[in-house]
Amino acid sequence: MPELPEVETVKRGLMPHIAGQIIHSTTVRQPKLRWPVDKNLPRLIKNQRILSIERRGKYLIIGLASSYALIIHLGMSGQLRLVPANQPVGKHDHVDLSLSNDLILRYTDPRRFGCILISDQPYEHVLLSSLGIEPLTRGFTAQYLFNRMQRKHIPIKSLIMDSKIVVGVGNIYANEALFNSKIHPLRPSASLLLTECQTLVNEIKSVLKAAIKQGGTTLKDFISAEGKPGYFSQQLNVYGRHGQACYECGADLKEIRINNRSTVYCPSCQLS
DNA sequence: ATTGGAACCTGGTGGC
DNA sequence: TGCCACCAGGTTCCAA
């Protein structure tokens, strides 16, 4: 389900229920995820207390008392939910952590693009160590973006989706942020003016914050396996609306493919 | 070095 | 109904 707002929603939803709990046991039904689940993982985390849950980009980091941490990514279709101990096991329920509060932290992922890794230095892990800046921090500024785009000729949409530049901006919110900024997704990155970077940075922050706020509205139901982060109820201006009228000017929204990802924009509002 | 495309998987949808 | 092609929220890897 995840772009950054969805992962943040999962983190906030789980936090109060898993912090302080002890992992009694781990069941791995399907170890073949994006990377194989370490055979030793169940043994390494057995009887360990969960101290923290953090987010870096779209990764969740569950810190344990042993100084080990679990690094979890939800890929395209992953879910991490708390379910009652007697919850029936579904086809794609790959990993269960049984907790001391009699709940199961259950990882479900039909496409298996996600991963569950164990590390004693999670932020130094090769998958995390070269990640770009967090978009909702003060350091993500127009000047930062401007500096990172110099001499880059890739489309601006590709650039803001590059996790080495800035993390957490997935396909949906990239489309939305560019529309809100009135910037054409195919603009060569290095052609953006500093003032356009300012608008874009503002709109990225704004759309992510709004989405997190919406995700938050479903947090109260989180335990009931039905916690659908507010993904589909998002107020989307362009994503999934190709062929329909632009809310701003009424023109037909167009769809193209950039890096094989659906890209929807308004040919009238978003000038090349 | 930069860039675009394939690859990893399964499930849902729409066309014929 | 059945079959098949194509699409989907991500990210790494490989080759031009």
Side-chain angles (χ1 to χ4, degrees), chain A residues 58-92:
Chain A
K58 294 171 190 164
Y59 292 91
L60 289 168
I61 297 159
I62 298 181
L64 306 178
S66 62
S67 87
Y68 277 114
L70 298 176
I71 301 173
I72 300 179
H73 197 291
L74 301 177
M76 296 267 258
S77 56
Q79 286 182 285
L80 196 57
R81 297 168 312 174
L82 281 165
V83 300
N86 61 1
Q87 181 92 180
V89 173
K91 185 176 176 185
H92 303 292

Side-chain angles (χ1 to χ4, degrees), chain A residues 53-261:
Chain A
I53 175 166
E54 296 165 354
R55 179 189 61 72
R56 176 74 174 101
K58 294 171 190 164
Y59 292 91
L60 289 168
I61 297 159
I62 298 181
L64 306 178
S66 62
S67 87
Y68 277 114
L70 298 176
I71 301 173
I72 300 179
H73 197 291
L74 301 177
M76 296 267 258
S77 56
Q79 286 182 285
L80 196 57
R81 297 168 312 174
L82 281 165
V83 300
N86 61 1
Q87 181 92 180
V89 173
K91 185 176 176 185
H92 303 292
D93 294 339
H94 303 315
V95 178
D96 281 358
L97 303 188
S98 297
L99 306 181
S100 45
N101 58 4
D102 288 328
L103 294 174
I104 290 173
L105 183 58
R106 175 163 289 174
Y107 179 84
T108 306
D109 186 2
R111 291 178 73 180
R112 288 189 272 131
F113 281 7
C115 64
I116 300 181
L117 305 169
I118 185 163
S119 168
D120 53 3
Q121 291 289 337
Y123 288 92
E124 314 308 316
H125 191 281
V126 61
L127 291 175
L128 304 197
S129 61
S130 56
L131 288 178
I133 197 165
E134 287 285 333
L136 296 179
T137 59
R138 302 178 65 92
F140 182 52
T141 62
Q143 192 66 56
Y144 170 85
L145 194 61
F146 188 75
N147 292 345
R148 295 297 303 266
M149 1 179 104
Q150 295 314 304
R151 292 174 302 282
K152 293 229 176 239
H153 291 158
I154 54 173
I156 183 59
K157 177 168 182 259
S158 305
L159 186 119
I160 61 175
M161 290 182 69
D162 180 350
S163 63
K164 301 233 179 317
I165 308 277
V166 55
V167 296
V169 183
N171 194 41
I172 292 179
Y173 298 118
N175 278 293
E176 295 298 311
L178 286 166
F179 171 80
N180 295 342
S181 303
K182 299 195 185 320
I183 295 171
H184 195 292
L186 282 176
R187 281 274 299 280
S189 298
S191 77
L192 267 72
L193 307 173
L194 184 58
T195 55
E196 293 176 310
C197 292
Q198 185 64 64
T199 307
L200 185 50
V201 163
N202 290 346
E203 294 299 339
I204 288 172
K205 288 177 192 273
S206 163
V207 73
L208 293 178
K209 280 182 191 165
I212 290 171
K213 206 166 179 179
Q214 287 219 355
T217 64
T218 64
L219 285 188
K220 53 178 100 57
D221 303 325
F222 200 81
I223 266 197
S224 74
E226 289 306 312
K228 324 177 176 71
Y231 211 90
F232 297 101
S233 60
Q234 276 302 312
Q235 170 73 289
L236 299 177
N237 286 318
V238 285
Y239 184 80
R241 295 196 62 245
H242 62 97
Q244 302 178 47
C246 172
Y247 291 134
E248 203 61 34
C249 75
D252 268 14
L253 297 178
K254 289 248 186 309
E255 181 179 39
I256 56 176
R257 302 197 75 81
I258 298 179
N259 298 333
N260 207 27
R261 311 298 298 279

